[in-house]
Amino acid sequence: STVVADQQQHEAMTATITPVNLAAGHSRTTNSSHPLETTQNVFPFVKKTRGRNWTVWDGETILFDGEMFGACRWGAYNVSLEENETITGTMSQEIRSVPICLHPTSDIVSDNIASNGRWLDCPYLGEELWRNVLQQDNNQHHKRFVHIEVGANIGACVLDILLVTPANVHIVAFEPNPRNLFRLTSTLKSLFSMYPQFRRRVQLLPIGLGQETTATTIYGANGNLGHSTIGRGVKEYYTQQFDAALPIYVERFDDIIDSTRGDYDFAVMKLDAQGFECNIV
């Protein structure tokens, strides 16, 4: 398999921030009136579907809400493939633009998508990396592939891969930051209502990954929630500021995913965990 990692060297400067208590009604758990087993078909290689105050996302419930983190600034996410082109050379779908929930205030990823229609890191994953994976596999049309997205942020690369890869490519996304989870689940709920065929291709786990199962906090940088660090606010530069810390949950990858199954090809794993990658692998 292929691993793409963002392991930048950060200065060891820790922000002192008091964690915010997430009020009742903003829980990351799904609505009890919609049991997990009836609202979301869990991929068979997902071994653990619930833990301490979390469950795999049900595909319907928007986690947290705009009252706490600000309403969606809706934009359009676009891919550059021509209408009849896919990365495998065969037609899989004609959808080239979908709505995306962006952060309402200045944020690097959201602002870039609002201006350019796409996040700059994502085309490489779909149009280059996945193109190579699929074109090198002579049995590609008869296999089920898996993309592991660690650090899904607001879902830009999840959308990118869904739009440019064929229907036998499945995505398991991990994202622990509640601020991003509100955007991500708002986007996916909208997508699934418009195009139900995508729902069976995505599994979202609202947790972080690390070397142990634990409750901790996450710190998102002002203006760049893509720079969210677990356990402490690790600055990229001396004057960088962080939003109030939020409680999250961390699990071990091997406790969640059975990557030894022979009926799925775990072809790509993208790690974007802001220096936390060594704790994940």
Side-chain angles (χ1 to χ4, degrees):
S1 64
T2 303
V3 177
V4 182
D6 173 14
Q7 297 194 12
Q8 300 174 342
Q9 296 297 317
H10 300 294
E11 297 178 50
M13 296 180 287
T14 303
T16 302
I17 304 174
T18 302
V20 167
N21 289 322
L22 297 176
H26 302 286
S27 170
R28 67 180 55 247
T29 56
T30 55
N31 189 327
S32 59
S33 65
H34 297 285
L36 173 69
E37 292 75 16
T38 61
T39 60
Q40 178 78 335
N41 293 321
V42 178
F43 294 156
F45 52 81
V46 178
K47 299 187 293 183
K48 187 174 182 179
T49 60
R50 62 185 70 235
R52 181 180 176 184
N53 201 31
W54 70 269
T55 67
V56 64
W57 185 52
D58 63 5
E60 297 178 359
T61 307
I62 295 176
L63 300 185
F64 310 98
D65 61 40
E67 186 176 319
M68 188 172 197
F69 299 129
C72 288
R73 171 174 44 137
W74 286 98
Y77 196 87
N78 309 308
V79 296
S80 58
L81 295 179
E82 298 297 328
E83 182 176 340
N84 293 319
E85 179 189 6
T86 68
I87 62 171
T88 58
T90 58
M91 193 63 186
S92 62
Q93 63 263 328
E94 298 180 2
I95 305 160
R96 293 292 179 255
S97 180
V98 294
I100 184 170
C101 172
L102 306 173
H103 288 291
T105 56
S106 180
D107 174 79
I108 289 176
V109 174
S110 291
D111 292 351
N112 188 276
I113 294 171
S115 298
N116 302 313
R118 202 174 190 184
W119 176 235
L120 55 89
D121 290 343
C122 302
Y124 170 74
L125 285 174
E127 295 179 27
E128 299 297 330
L129 193 58
W130 268 106
R131 184 196 300 270
N132 291 337
V133 169
L134 294 170
Q135 289 183 348
Q136 291 176 16
D137 195 321
N138 294 327
N139 198 33
Q140 59 167 284
H141 300 297
H142 305 286
K143 293 176 67 174
R144 291 177 291 187
F145 295 91
V146 179
H147 174 96
I148 304 292
E149 178 85 358
V150 181
N153 200 291
I154 62 172
C157 291
V158 171
L159 293 180
D160 220 290
I161 293 165
L162 282 174
L163 294 179
V164 304
T165 60
N168 59 335
V169 175
H170 302 78
I171 301 171
V172 179
F174 295 87
E175 174 56 47
N177 192 322
R179 293 182 174 89
N180 289 335
L181 282 169
F182 171 69
R183 313 288 159 202
L184 177 54
T185 54
S186 295
T187 293
L188 291 179
K189 180 176 181 177
S190 171
L191 179 71
F192 297 164
S193 67
M194 296 171 63
Y195 306 108
Q197 67 269 32
F198 286 126
R199 179 168 176 169
R200 62 179 177 268
R201 295 181 56 194
V202 182
Q203 205 96 84
L204 169 63
L205 288 92
I207 55 175
L209 294 177
Q211 58 189 350
E212 61 181 350
T213 298
T214 186
T216 183
T217 50
I218 194 163
Y219 300 75
N222 292 169
N224 183 14
L225 284 171
H227 181 66
S228 294
T229 58
I230 292 177
R232 60 179 186 170
V234 181
K235 297 183 178 181
E236 297 174 293
Y237 50 89
Y238 185 75
T239 58
Q240 188 170 44
Q241 300 295 314
F242 288 83
D243 294 331
L246 296 172
I248 65 165
Y249 301 93
V250 173
E251 300 273 355
R252 295 178 64 253
F253 178 80
D254 288 343
D255 292 339
I256 303 292
I257 302 295
D258 179 8
S259 58
T260 64
R261 291 182 62 106
D263 50 345
Y264 286 85
D265 187 340
F266 292 80
V268 177
M269 182 181 197
K270 190 211 80 176
L271 294 173
D272 188 359
Q274 306 306 308
F276 209 66
E277 286 82 2
C278 290
N279 294 287
I280 296 171
V281 301

